[in-house]
Amino acid sequence: MEKKVVDDARRAFASGRSRSLLYRRQQLRALLRLIKERQSDIASALKRDINRSELDTQMFELIGIENDIRLAEGKLSDWTAPQPVEKTLLTMMDDVYVKAEPLGVVLIIGVWNYPWSLTLQPLVGAIAAGNAAVMKPSEVSINSSALLKELLPQYLDTEMYPVVTGGVPETQELLKQRFDHIFFTGNSVVGKVVMEAATRHLTPVTLELGGKSPCYVDGDCDLAVACRRITWGKFSNCGQTCIAPDYILCHPNTQHRVIEEFRQTLLEFYGEDPKNSPDFGRIINQHHFDRVLALMEGCTVAAGGQSDRSQCYIAPTILKDVLPHARVMQEEIFGPVLPIVTVSDVGEAIRFINERPKPLALYIFSSNKKVVKKMLNETTSGGVLVNDVIVHYTVSALPFGGVGNSGMGRYHGKHTFDQLSHHRACLVKSLALEGLNRARYPPLTRAGLRKALFFLRHRLWSPHQAVRAWAILSSLLALGLLIALLVVLLR
């Protein structure tokens, strides 16, 4: 079945209908209608999957999709237009540009913690780039997966954008097929499997993985504000967010102040009993519930710690004085547990971070510009955010993606379009002015070589430089005219 789905999508792509910008806009608008018209159904499915509230669904799932659709539809003509590049003297009479073209058939493998945004945002880019796309939502978020399978054919071209549901066997069968790009969101273990499968067809991949995103808290910052922002980012979606702060690094003297601020903020956000709060979710299933609880073994609980397996509930939990070799520090937590590891200074924090795999996100809380600059200059991460958490994900102009063990490739906004396009180099010459080419033809001479090198080495202004120069020239001309007019009027 999976082979037939992919073959049908390839035939649909080969028909050429997705090359039309009108077609792409129609599909994007249809996807936007789906999000708008079926919002309550989506929220209901997420409530059953992960106990997420309807308001959280709008904030964390749907707004990002809507924004990406509107951006892609509005900018599509610009993104697909030929992009002129810098010329040399040899190509000054030619058309030299880069043209974005569709790759073909893309496989998008979604994930369960944000089953709509992390599946449909890549689809937005695939549609905008003119590709066909086979969707494979996560079987773990069973209700959202079934709903996506039901809804997408009602709004989009069913041949171009089919949905395949199922578990590991279906995914494995899909990975045996030839795709032109694979976009995977998930953990690094499965990411390696996806990448290995892709090598059989030399298929390029985008791997949006995760890892342990550190959060350095400098003692000189406003700890009340810092802890509010960290609490929001860590415990939203019950901690099941790939860019949630995974652990805190701070000085021992700062730790007790941070813990007190966390306690007050948790009380403000979720009340005396977070289990009854409509804003606090649940672990996706009992397997992950058991995994997260096991990570806490041997650690000292400073706040929270309560749990209920029947409801997959783990209270927002703060762990103090956590040692680097503790189990909770060996893998991504992906749950509502926040360890605090103490360090002597920013230098030790940097060494701690650099001794571990490169994280998807790095968070720095400090009012000291020198501290911030040092952290930025001496660490590496997929993204970095100073004095806040997670919100860099919402900025479509910023590329979102990992580095090293936290992933490869990037997306969001135009970055998704670029990631799922082939950027074709185009040079259109005239058959005239053949005399300029004589230097490259045999028999070669030193004089001819000097001539060729002269034309190749000397570059003309790039399009951006030309625009900038024209803007400056226009401003000078306008200023000159204004001065001339003032002179006339003052006579």
Side-chain angles (χ1 to χ4, degrees):
M1 176 197 171
E2 284 75 19
K3 184 179 186 305
K4 183 181 184 305
V5 168
V6 178
D7 289 344
D8 289 347
R10 194 164 296 283
R11 277 192 294 272
F13 174 75
S15 73
R17 60 181 180 263
S18 67
R19 289 188 174 271
S20 161
L21 298 193
L22 175 61
Y23 172 88
R24 301 183 203 184
R25 288 193 176 97
Q26 288 172 341
Q27 296 300 306
L28 289 170
R29 290 168 189 160
L31 187 59
L32 183 60
R33 285 201 310 276
L34 185 160
I35 297 301
K36 290 287 192 182
E37 294 172 4
R38 308 308 290 265
Q39 187 175 115
S40 61
D41 295 327
I42 294 170
S44 177
L46 284 166
K47 181 69 175 178
R48 295 195 300 274
D49 281 332
I50 208 165
N51 196 44
R52 186 179 296 156
S53 71
E54 184 173 353
L55 295 179
D56 274 355
T57 293
Q58 292 181 43
M59 177 179 292
F60 290 106
E61 294 269 7
L62 305 184
I63 291 176
I65 305 172
E66 291 181 26
N67 288 344
D68 270 13
I69 292 173
R70 295 184 193 280
L71 177 66
E73 184 184 353
K75 295 288 188 179
L76 195 56
S77 295
D78 293 338
W79 293 353
T80 56
Q83 303 297 316
V85 298
E86 188 179 62
K87 297 182 182 181
T88 64
L89 288 176
L90 196 63
T91 58
M92 62 181 175
M93 304 300 292
D94 307 326
D95 291 329
V96 189
Y97 58 91
V98 176
K99 184 76 167 65
E101 293 188 338
L103 289 173
V105 182
V106 175
L107 172 62
I108 298 173
I109 303 177
V111 70
W112 54 263
N113 59 324
Y114 292 94
W116 294 88
S117 64
L118 298 185
T119 306
L120 295 186
Q121 282 186 281
L123 177 60
V124 172
I127 294 172
N131 299 299
V134 177
M135 312 294 293
K136 174 56 182 71
S138 172
E139 71 280 6
V140 177
S141 50
I142 184 170
N143 296 289
S144 293
S145 177
L147 185 61
L148 185 65
K149 172 80 170 177
E150 175 190 340
L151 293 184
L152 211 63
Q154 298 178 28
Y155 289 84
L156 298 189
D157 185 326
T158 55
E159 292 181 320
M160 288 284 289
Y161 311 109
V163 180
V164 176
T165 54
V168 173
E170 287 78 10
T171 303
Q172 290 175 333
E173 191 60 36
L174 277 174
L175 289 173
K176 293 178 183 177
Q177 312 307 313
R178 180 176 67 85
F179 289 94
D180 299 289
H181 196 99
I182 298 176
F183 196 111
F184 169 78
T185 304
N187 62 56
S188 59
V189 174
V190 182
K192 291 174 183 177
V193 174
V194 171
M195 192 169 184
E196 184 179 0
T199 60
R200 291 196 289 269
H201 299 291
L202 294 180
T203 300
V205 297
T206 300
L207 300 179
E208 294 297 336
L209 308 178
K212 298 184 75 63
S213 295
C215 182
Y216 176 68
V217 180
D218 198 7
D220 75 336
C221 72
D222 187 329
L223 292 180
V225 173
C227 290
R228 283 175 65 83
R229 295 179 182 182
I230 295 168
T231 300
W232 169 77
K234 175 61 182 181
F235 298 109
S236 294
N237 204 36
C238 202
Q240 298 164 118
T241 303
C242 61
I243 50 173
D246 192 88
Y247 61 94
I248 300 289
L249 293 172
C250 66
H251 191 275
N253 293 338
T254 306
Q255 180 180 224
H256 73 278
R257 296 161 57 202
V258 166
I259 290 171
E260 186 55 37
E261 293 294 347
F262 278 135
R263 285 174 176 156
Q264 293 181 23
T265 304
L266 287 170
L267 181 63
E268 176 190 346
F269 283 9
Y270 304 116
E272 291 283 355
D273 186 2
K275 191 175 184 180
N276 297 321
S277 170
D279 298 309
F280 189 72
R282 298 293 184 269
I283 301 296
I284 185 69
N285 56 35
Q286 290 184 340
H287 165 74
H288 284 283
F289 172 90
D290 294 338
R291 179 189 61 81
V292 173
L293 273 192
L295 292 177
M296 298 166 55
E297 291 177 2
C299 293
T300 302
V301 174
Q306 300 83 5
S307 63
D308 181 346
R309 193 173 191 271
S310 66
Q311 292 191 26
C312 291
Y313 166 77
I314 298 176
T317 300
I318 309 295
L319 305 177
K320 68 177 183 178
D321 296 320
V322 176
L323 299 176
H325 61 264
R327 186 175 176 183
V328 75
M329 293 301 297
Q330 305 311 308
E331 64 180 73
E332 184 178 6
I333 297 169
F334 227 65
V337 177
L338 184 60
I340 302 176
V341 178
T342 59
V343 290
S344 59
D345 55 23
V346 65
E348 186 180 351
I350 290 171
R351 288 191 295 274
F352 189 95
I353 293 165
N354 290 340
E355 287 169 357
R356 287 155 179 79
K358 297 172 183 176
L360 182 57
L362 168 64
Y363 302 115
I364 306 163
F365 283 84
S366 178
S367 300
N368 188 325
K369 292 183 179 180
K370 290 183 179 179
V371 168
V372 171
K373 185 177 180 181
K374 185 175 178 67
M375 291 286 287
L376 288 172
N377 288 342
E378 299 181 20
T379 60
T380 299
S381 60
V384 64
L385 190 51
V386 178
N387 293 328
D388 209 342
V389 297
I390 288 183
V391 295
H392 64 297
Y393 182 90
T394 66
V395 183
S396 60
L398 288 174
F400 180 83
V403 58
N405 205 61
S406 58
M408 61 180 68
R410 73 270 179 222
Y411 75 119
H412 285 186
K414 186 175 185 294
H415 301 289
T416 320
F417 173 87
D418 288 338
Q419 186 83 136
L420 299 179
S421 296
H422 167 56
H423 295 272
R424 192 180 194 183
C426 300
L427 173 59
V428 182
K429 296 184 74 72
S430 167
L431 290 173
L433 302 174
E434 179 64 2
L436 293 175
N437 294 316
R438 287 176 185 166
R440 72 186 188 188
Y441 297 145
L444 299 177
T445 65
R446 291 196 177 278
L449 178 61
R450 285 195 298 271
K451 182 179 178 181
L453 290 176
F454 175 81
F455 279 96
L456 285 169
R457 286 172 173 168
H458 288 77
R459 300 183 177 276
L460 302 178
W461 280 353
S462 70
H464 298 298
Q465 289 172 320
V467 169
R468 203 157 49 239
W470 176 248
I472 293 171
L473 181 60
S474 299
S475 298
L476 291 174
L477 287 172
L479 182 60
L481 289 173
L482 180 60
I483 292 171
L485 180 61
L486 288 173
V487 169
V488 171
L489 293 174
L490 294 173
R491 279 182 177 176

